[in-house]
Amino acid sequence: MIEKQKKIAIRPLRLDDLEEVMAIEPTAFGQHHWSRHSFVQELNKPEGLYFVACNSDTKQLLGYSGFWIIGQEGHITTLAVHEQYRRKYIGEQLLVNNILAARQCGALWLTLEVRASNEVAQQLYSKYGFKIINVRPHYYQDNLEDALILWSENISTAEFNILLDAKISELAQKEQQLASLSC
């Protein structure tokens, strides 16, 4: 049986979301994930913006993301989707939301670190023009895996906006296709 795609709403992350976030965090990031206290600190930082993707009907939290604004840079600090809802474009919706929100805040570029082994995330970021610019050797504490440092193109240029518009259109079509699937 194929589950019908749920309507997704993206809104700011609130303190009362943290119980659901903490249920996703270890499955997404392993043993050395952020603590509840880390999220509370992040929500209190003026440079931090954090969001959740929720099922519009049930209000279940499906994923979350966030970034810092540092000058003209948006640094994506986290993006995770509940393991039951992966491969349903929720992470991509959160990424698009981050790009649009960072641009609204005056960011010209986006950056992030991603595990060298996380090819799925790398492919997602690559679709939106992120490129590997460097490596942080032994960055992750759990297994000393390298982190790839990714940077976007300038998100204020006409070229980037053409790419973003095309990707948003493709994303809407994919969501429509998923929504039309039923038993």
Side-chain angles (χ1 to χ4, degrees):
M1 182 168 139
I2 299 172
E3 185 179 331
K4 197 168 188 178
Q5 175 73 358
K6 296 164 176 37
K7 182 77 174 148
I8 305 302
I10 297 179
R11 63 165 174 75
L13 175 67
R14 302 182 302 241
L15 285 174
D16 64 350
D17 295 319
L18 292 184
E19 185 174 326
E20 288 181 276
V21 166
M22 294 314 301
I24 297 169
E25 187 72 4
T27 61
F29 298 110
Q31 182 181 7
H32 292 280
H33 60 80
W34 283 9
S35 66
R36 178 180 169 74
H37 179 71
S38 296
F39 276 100
V40 170
Q41 287 181 310
E42 289 297 313
L43 289 173
N44 287 317
K45 287 182 179 178
E47 67 273 14
L49 289 108
Y50 290 86
F51 302 93
V52 295
C54 296
N55 176 312
S56 296
D57 297 328
T58 67
K59 308 302 182 214
Q60 178 189 4
L61 193 143
L62 307 174
Y64 53 92
S65 66
F67 62 91
W68 300 331
I69 291 292
I70 305 166
Q72 294 179 318
E73 175 192 328
H75 181 78
I76 297 174
T77 57
T78 192
L79 194 157
V81 175
H82 188 290
E83 64 185 337
Q84 186 178 357
Y85 297 100
R86 292 181 187 151
R87 308 261 193 269
K88 298 180 189 294
Y89 307 105
I90 296 165
E92 190 166 353
Q93 290 178 62
L94 285 163
L95 177 59
V96 167
N97 181 75
N98 284 351
I99 293 167
L100 296 173
R103 190 167 57 192
Q104 249 186 336
C105 293
L108 298 179
W109 296 275
L110 294 169
T111 183
L112 60 100
E113 291 92 11
V114 64
R115 284 183 183 268
S117 64
N118 192 344
E119 293 177 8
V120 171
Q122 291 172 46
Q123 289 170 0
L124 172 61
Y125 295 122
S126 177
K127 280 174 49 175
Y128 287 85
F130 285 79
K131 298 199 178 4
I132 299 168
I133 62 153
N134 212 336
V135 176
R136 292 192 199 282
H138 314 298
Y139 182 77
Y140 293 99
Q141 295 174 0
D142 59 343
N143 63 0
L144 300 179
E145 183 175 358
D146 294 347
L148 304 177
I149 302 170
L150 306 182
W151 275 80
S152 71
E153 301 293 327
N154 183 327
I155 63 174
S156 70
T157 65
E159 294 83 9
F160 184 84
N161 285 315
I162 290 168
L163 168 73
L164 184 60
D165 289 345
K167 293 301 175 191
I168 290 172
S169 178
E170 287 174 23
L171 181 58
Q173 289 174 0
K174 290 173 187 173
E175 291 170 326
Q176 239 176 7
Q177 289 170 350
L178 277 177
S180 68
L181 295 176
S182 59
C183 313

